[in-house]
Amino acid sequence: MKKVVFIAAIAAVLSVGQIAYPIQEAAAATVASYRIAYKMPTVNTLEEKEVFHYLLKGALKIKNPHPASILDKNRRDLTEIVGDLNGTDTPRGFMIDEFSVSKDGYLLALYNEIGILDPVYPQGYDPAAISKQILDQQASGQWGGELRQKRGEIELKARINALVQAGYVQPEELKDQRLTKQFVAETLYRMYKKARPYKGSVAPKDSQSEAVRWAIEVGVPGFQVDAKGYVYPQSQPYYTNMLDFIHLFLPSKKTATGWEYFQYEVNQDLLLEAVHNSSGELLHINNKPLSSLPNYVMLSDLPEKKKAEAQLSASLAPKVIEMVEQVRREVQKPRVWDWRTDVIRHPSFTKLVSEYRKTKSQKALNQVYQTVKARYNLFDRQDSPQVMKSVLDHIR
């Protein structure tokens, strides 16, 4: 269907807060009715929804970055490494995919995220010299594939060795390339367990690992427990979202004395661009993500869609830094795992629970809810007075 016909078949309402903007379109007798809307994220959704981690990573400028000279010297792009390992300037998609889902791919991403660990090169290796040899071979009509492969292997191993030297990876863990959530949790826990100690507040059925339980407790993406209580630690992770979460919400700036938080400021242009890039999930039509509408890309130039993006961006800009700070405070808290032991029978809440059950008053309910919320980092599904009322009324 042509774009002009598709748009002409829409009668929509852009809903922003309490304001509704009608879209005037010449339409046929039978016209589909849509409502384009957005919802401002809460602290919970900012913490739990991966779309916002991606958005924030692209929209916030770091105020206290590492020196660019250090990052440029240490970091290596995944495509560059894969190209060298395969002796090509244009690695094929399957090469990148295979590397990305391996331990080597994850460890390179982790190393690049830390940014300031010096590569641990073998004695006598000169990065500039081998690069010059490759250029000389190319200038003489040779491809230099063997040298490129050697360079790729050494550069990659030097960065992984830096992680081993820092104590984040154990040498025996490098015997195979199978990447699991268990392995990712172990590396992250070694890095951040002092900055964010394990509180012992979660207990999945399929893992006794303190590192895995820490990752669940902190809220690292990919470590959500299903309805049956399983986290599946041996499954393959999607680690990009995990690293975005850590970068934003944990003290993830490595310094000579430990770990500090990155400090941010909003770049309004980047924020608008990030909202636009994620509009398929951030904007909704009839309470469903915009991306669920067939051919939704045809709406990209619709003025009302652009207005929704601009207004969401403008609404987020003055609030998002404080929301990030609030998430950082929240992820330092333990979780409610068992309402009976963590709240109903916990000594800290005994009097409050008793007062609510005696009076059934809204005031008593709110006191329990606010006190529990101050102690625990509640999941979005847990975080409401209504849920607290149900817990107090039905769990003994």
Side-chain angles (χ1 to χ4, degrees):
M1 185 182 293
K2 293 183 178 180
K3 180 176 179 181
V4 65
V5 176
F6 183 74
I7 293 178
I10 297 177
V13 173
L14 169 62
S15 175
V16 183
Q18 301 299 315
I19 307 173
Y21 302 88
I23 298 175
Q24 304 296 333
E25 297 286 352
T30 57
V31 176
S33 179
Y34 297 98
R35 178 176 294 270
I36 302 177
Y38 71 81
K39 295 180 181 178
M40 278 289 289
T42 64
V43 170
N44 285 340
T45 53
L46 199 71
E47 178 182 348
E48 296 182 30
K49 300 295 184 182
E50 293 169 13
V51 62
F52 288 110
H53 309 156
Y54 170 79
L55 181 150
L56 292 175
K57 191 76 180 293
L60 298 180
K61 180 181 178 182
I62 300 174
K63 295 168 62 177
N64 59 334
H66 294 299
S69 58
I70 293 177
L71 298 180
D72 292 343
K73 175 178 67 73
N74 291 336
R75 287 176 172 171
R76 283 295 181 275
D77 182 76
L78 177 148
T79 303
E80 180 184 354
I81 288 288
V82 174
D84 270 4
L85 291 173
N86 290 276
T88 176
D89 287 328
T90 55
R92 305 283 294 275
F94 75 87
M95 299 174 184
I96 294 174
D97 291 343
E98 288 178 358
F99 183 81
S100 296
V101 299
S102 68
K103 278 184 180 175
D104 283 349
Y106 163 67
L107 292 175
L108 178 63
L110 183 63
Y111 175 90
N112 284 338
E113 188 65 41
I114 297 170
I116 66 165
L117 296 177
D118 290 330
V120 180
Y121 290 120
Q123 187 173 5
Y125 176 74
D126 185 343
I130 194 170
S131 295
K132 185 178 184 302
Q133 291 178 48
I134 293 169
L135 290 174
D136 289 345
Q137 285 191 350
Q138 291 174 341
S140 65
Q142 303 176 61
W143 178 234
E146 290 185 6
L147 272 180
R148 287 194 64 176
Q149 185 177 14
K150 177 182 177 182
R151 179 175 67 180
E153 291 171 349
I154 293 175
E155 293 290 348
L156 174 61
K157 188 174 181 181
R159 284 156 177 79
I160 293 175
N161 283 343
L163 295 171
V164 173
Q165 188 178 83
Y168 306 145
V169 180
Q170 299 301 312
E172 61 269 18
E173 294 174 322
L174 302 175
K175 294 178 181 178
D176 64 73
Q177 282 297 313
R178 183 168 178 264
L179 181 63
T180 65
K181 291 197 292 188
Q182 173 82 41
F183 175 71
V184 172
E186 294 288 352
T187 59
L188 295 178
Y189 188 45
R190 290 176 192 133
M191 291 168 65
Y192 298 117
K193 62 183 178 181
K194 290 184 179 178
R196 199 294 188 184
Y198 177 53
K199 310 295 174 65
S201 67
V202 300
K205 293 181 179 178
D206 57 345
S207 179
Q208 296 293 324
S209 164
E210 187 166 288
V212 170
R213 294 187 170 200
W214 171 88
I216 299 168
E217 183 178 76
V218 171
V220 177
F223 287 88
Q224 299 88 347
V225 176
D226 69 10
K228 295 182 179 179
Y230 295 94
V231 69
Y232 306 103
Q234 297 306 311
S235 61
Q236 183 175 293
Y238 183 68
Y239 54 80
T240 300
N241 287 336
M242 299 179 182
L243 296 180
D244 286 349
F245 179 94
I246 294 292
H247 177 89
L248 290 164
F249 303 131
L250 285 188
S252 56
K253 180 184 178 182
K254 185 170 177 58
T255 70
T257 57
W259 296 90
E260 299 176 0
Y261 286 106
F262 282 110
Q263 303 301 322
Y264 299 111
E265 60 186 356
V266 177
N267 182 308
Q268 186 64 62
D269 291 337
L270 291 179
L271 179 58
L272 179 57
E273 181 181 355
V275 168
H276 172 74
N277 291 338
S278 301
S279 62
E281 295 178 74
L282 296 177
L283 301 186
H284 293 74
I285 287 188
N286 295 347
N287 294 320
K288 294 182 180 180
L290 181 63
S291 58
S292 67
L293 186 71
N295 298 321
Y296 85 94
V297 292
M298 289 182 163
L299 292 170
S300 294
D301 295 328
L302 198 64
E304 286 73 17
K305 175 178 175 289
K306 291 184 177 181
K307 183 180 288 186
E309 293 171 354
Q311 291 178 326
L312 174 55
S313 175
S315 297
L316 272 174
K319 301 176 182 177
V320 72
I321 298 299
E322 175 51 36
M323 293 176 76
V324 169
E325 294 294 335
Q326 178 62 31
V327 173
R328 288 174 169 181
R329 293 190 289 270
E330 289 297 313
V331 300
Q332 296 293 329
K333 301 176 185 177
R335 297 283 185 175
V336 170
W337 195 256
D338 183 323
W339 288 108
R340 179 174 284 104
T341 57
D342 295 339
V343 175
I344 300 299
R345 298 181 181 177
H346 195 286
S348 298
F349 308 110
T350 302
K351 291 183 179 179
L352 292 172
V353 171
S354 177
E355 178 65 20
Y356 167 77
R357 288 178 171 170
K358 185 188 305 180
T359 65
K360 297 290 184 177
S361 70
Q362 187 65 40
K363 179 181 178 181
L365 173 63
N366 287 336
Q367 285 183 321
V368 178
Y369 168 64
Q370 293 297 338
T371 306
V372 170
K373 188 173 173 64
R375 179 182 180 88
Y376 294 109
N377 181 16
L378 299 178
F379 290 108
D380 191 47
R381 65 178 184 273
Q382 300 172 323
D383 192 3
S384 74
Q386 291 75 24
V387 171
M388 185 60 61
K389 184 178 188 307
S390 179
V391 167
L392 294 172
D393 288 346
H394 298 99
I395 298 179
R396 298 290 169 178

